[in-house]
Amino acid sequence: MEARIMAEAAIAIQNYMDLNDEACQARALKAKESLGSKLVILGHHYQREEVIRFADYSGDSLKLSRQAAASDAKYIVFCGVHFMAEVADILSRPDQVVVLPDLAAGCSMADMADLAKVERAWKELGQIIDTQKIIPVTYINSAANLKAFCGRHGGIVCTSSNARAVLNWAFEQGEKVLFFPDQHLGRNTAYKMGIPLEQMVVWNFLRSRGGLIPEKIRDAKIILWQGHCSVHQMFQPEHIDRFLERYPDAKVISHPENSFEVCQKSHYIGSTEYIIKTITESPPNTRWLVGTELNLVNRLHERFKHEGKFIHFMSPTVCMCSTMFRTDPQHLAWSLENLAQDNIVNQIKVPEKDAELARLTLDRMLEIS
């Protein structure tokens, strides 16, 4: 069904793809103004500048979804990726409609842990240990049906901001944690909590029993899914070494989706919001090496250059989030002009049963963070 909808949308939007960005931005602005308070546009921090300028709210996915749900808007247009729009639908009111301008805007990390793979892992774990002792924890960067899986098995959702509080809660409920889809967030967070690397194992979802012997699974405190962010894996510890050789007084700040080695060499580790806050509050004339998505780093550079702050992208290779980049002025103009005509396109609707269980995991998270 979704493949057919995507094919139809691709045909419908073709006329827009021949327009330049300026023309699309003008048409998008006109449509936005005509919709008025019926519309709220959400822009994730990693969106390109030509799109995020239309956002009524910008930030991380959970904050944006909560802001949209609290608004009076009928239409929520999420300039982000698929799992973000799902969260917005889960948290929104029944009278609100969530639209994703480009249905092909997915997340490679989220795709590494689909429901079939996780259910298989759960079954195989059950052949070795009692799964009643395992608490499943999914990063918010995951599909709605995985959040529902966690709801069904006494688990919870986390963000990069509250992962430590969530893991503390999980270990109060059970003996072990299955953490997916991002191994790096799980490892970096658990290590800061005092859990040694020896008590963490990586579950290779392409191999039987995760490629692990039973003893390793029994001895592990946290089982990390073999998933990662394609952007953050580009950053390497040698990038930090070379930068600090040149600028020994500089500070390094990294997102916890980076590898353990990169985070160990960083002065600060935290979520996107934490990175923004830390750099914002830093003194003038400071220099920063930032390990996260390029659009955000460029935006920070422009925002603070008048204060004499030098903000550098960690990788010498350009590596932006290609799926975030899919939301362009053409798709935005197409979706807004359709909404202005009361024609809903690219609606994201989570099945009610999944939404109910996913909402349970989100509520658990919000109660403790």
Side-chain angles (χ1 to χ4, degrees), residues 66-211:
R66 297 179 76 186
Q67 287 173 320
S71 75
D72 295 326
K74 175 182 179 181
Y75 300 124
I76 300 170
V77 174
F78 209 129
C79 298
V81 295
H82 200 274
F83 78 81
M84 298 178 182
E86 285 185 331
V87 172
D89 181 63
I90 291 165
L91 295 180
S92 65
R93 301 187 309 273
D95 61 299
Q96 292 179 307
V97 173
V98 178
V99 167
L100 184 67
D102 187 349
L103 289 179
C107 172
S108 59
M109 178 204 293
D111 292 343
M112 290 176 191
D114 62 34
L115 183 60
K117 292 188 182 81
V118 172
E119 286 184 332
R120 176 191 168 191
W122 195 254
K123 181 179 179 180
E124 291 179 339
L125 284 168
Q127 296 168 357
I128 300 168
I129 52 178
D130 181 3
T131 52
Q132 294 293 319
K133 299 177 180 179
I134 306 174
I135 304 300
V137 176
T138 187
Y139 190 17
I140 199 164
N141 299 30
S142 61
N145 57 13
L146 286 192
K147 296 179 178 72
F149 172 91
C150 289
R152 198 159 46 245
H153 294 284
I156 193 169
V157 176
C158 79
T159 69
S160 52
S161 298
N162 63 25
R164 180 167 185 156
V166 166
L167 283 182
N168 278 327
W169 175 90
F171 285 121
E172 289 172 1
Q173 316 305 312
E175 296 177 7
K176 300 178 187 293
V177 164
L178 172 62
F179 189 97
F180 51 86
D182 181 39
Q183 61 171 304
H184 301 298
L185 175 62
R187 181 181 296 107
N188 289 319
T189 305
Y191 187 79
K192 286 187 73 174
M193 294 169 58
I195 299 174
L197 295 178
E198 294 75 25
Q199 292 183 15
M200 306 182 206
V201 294
V202 177
W203 185 276
N204 183 343
F205 54 83
L206 297 177
R207 299 180 62 185
S208 175
R209 293 185 177 178

Side-chain angles (χ1 to χ4, degrees), residues 86-96 144-145 147-149 151-152 347-363:
E86 285 185 331
V87 172
D89 181 63
I90 291 165
L91 295 180
S92 65
R93 301 187 309 273
D95 61 299
Q96 292 179 307
N145 57 13
K147 296 179 178 72
F149 172 91
R152 198 159 46 245
Q347 180 178 3
I348 301 300
K349 188 64 181 172
V350 178
E352 185 50 42
K353 186 59 178 176
D354 281 349
E356 181 182 336
L357 287 167
R359 198 176 298 117
L360 174 64
T361 64
L362 290 165
D363 287 344

Side-chain angles (χ1 to χ4, degrees), residues 279-296:
I279 293 176
T280 300
E281 295 176 354
S282 67
N285 305 310
T286 49
R287 190 179 297 272
W288 293 88
L289 183 66
V290 185
T292 196
E293 205 274 340
L294 180 61
N295 280 315
L296 174 64

